[in-house]
Amino acid sequence: DAGEAGEAAGPVVSPDSAATISGTVAFEGAPPAPETIDMSEEPTCAEKYTEPPTREAAVVSDGRLANVYVYVKEGLPALDFPTPTEGVTLDQDGCHYVPHVLAIQVGQPLIIKNSDGILHNINTQPTKNRGFNISQPVEMETEREFSTAEVMIPVKCDVHGWMEAYIGVLDHPYMAVTGSDGSFSLENLPPGDYVVEAWHELYGTQTQNVTVGPQESAEISFTYSAEMAGRPVPLGEPLVLHGGHEHGR
């Protein structure tokens, strides 16, 4: 994960003091019914599915919520975290972005891949970074990077309106995205007092204060529910770039 990538570039925190914050994101109540996507006009993508494809806005399994971006928001000392040289891939496969939510560091290579071999248009809509809007008409890869921390950057495809993803960019490695089991782990932290935030595209943000000492492990949990749908989801104000191209939501 991103923490391991940061460590691989050179340990910033001594192993005899490194701490861990881990936990789960739970979901209470009935999640919304999956929204089916009509891909009949894109048979290349449609044939990749044995079941009708659905949007990934709320993925709940056994009371756990996936695609939640969890990260250290406040409390880190002023350390120089190395930029991982290994890239993070955003694939377009079956007319879906994989992964749906992606964690990456400032300056780390973002490898945008087209596995479908049909036209995709990757349109990022940041507010702090300079956006990009690139076309990939065939199976290919394009590399980009972000210069500034930003939570979150929406990604759209102008060709397939149902395609969407979110990219969280930080200047440190302490971030994770929950999988189907709702779990996350932020490892190799310097001891300290932290604000940890969870971000979800439908249900908004939550924060918790956590204190960890040298070699300590802290367990925390976040709980979302269907009633939280519609709460404000921080994506920043639209940024109008020179030339009149507006990036924003």
Side-chain angles (χ1 to χ4, degrees):
D1 62 15
E4 291 169 348
E7 184 185 18
V12 176
V13 182
S14 170
D16 60 6
S17 66
T20 300
I21 298 173
S22 59
T24 55
V25 179
F27 190 87
E28 292 182 343
E35 182 182 344
T36 302
I37 301 168
D38 179 7
M39 291 189 188
S40 57
E41 295 185 4
E42 283 292 7
T44 301
C45 290
E47 66 187 16
K48 292 188 175 185
Y49 297 91
T50 55
E51 300 287 334
T54 59
R55 288 182 180 265
E56 298 178 90
V59 179
V60 179
S61 177
D62 295 327
R64 302 294 174 86
L65 184 59
N67 293 327
V68 180
Y69 181 80
V70 183
Y71 70 106
V72 172
K73 185 174 186 178
E74 298 174 18
L76 278 173
L79 296 173
D80 184 18
F81 296 103
T83 302
T85 56
E86 184 178 349
V88 178
T89 299
L90 179 64
D91 197 2
Q92 296 154 108
D93 191 2
C95 290
H96 263 114
Y97 287 118
V98 183
H100 181 63
V101 179
L102 184 149
I104 194 169
Q105 277 185 243
V106 169
Q108 185 175 9
L110 172 67
I111 301 164
I112 303 161
K113 183 178 180 181
N114 182 345
S115 292
D116 288 327
I118 60 173
L119 175 65
H120 285 302
N121 193 82
I122 305 93
N123 185 357
T124 59
Q125 301 176 319
T127 62
K128 297 178 180 178
N129 287 273
R130 186 169 184 86
F132 56 82
N133 191 342
I134 57 176
S135 292
Q136 290 187 330
V138 295
E139 288 190 23
M140 59 183 290
E141 291 184 358
T142 305
E143 190 171 306
R144 291 288 188 274
E145 64 182 43
F146 299 102
S147 61
T148 305
E150 183 169 354
V151 179
M152 301 283 284
I153 298 175
V155 185
K156 305 285 186 183
C157 176
D158 296 333
V159 183
H160 309 101
W162 63 81
M163 289 180 66
E164 50 194 359
Y166 296 91
I167 301 175
V169 186
L170 295 178
D171 55 8
H172 62 75
Y174 304 115
M175 52 185 153
V177 179
T178 61
S180 58
D181 63 354
S183 69
F184 62 88
S185 183
L186 308 174
E187 301 171 357
N188 300 311
L189 277 160
D193 302 315
Y194 297 107
V195 176
V196 177
E197 181 166 88
W199 179 100
H200 187 269
E201 65 190 270
L202 286 185
Y203 303 116
T205 58
Q206 300 182 38
T207 58
Q208 288 199 34
N209 295 328
V210 190
T211 300
V212 282
Q215 291 189 314
E216 281 187 1
S217 294
E219 290 272 342
I220 61 175
S221 62
F222 296 93
T223 301
Y224 285 94
S225 67
E227 289 73 29
M228 295 179 178
R231 296 197 314 180
V233 178
L235 287 172
E237 291 301 316
L239 174 67
V240 180
L241 298 175
H242 295 296
H245 297 290
E246 182 173 313
H247 296 264
R249 177 159 164 162

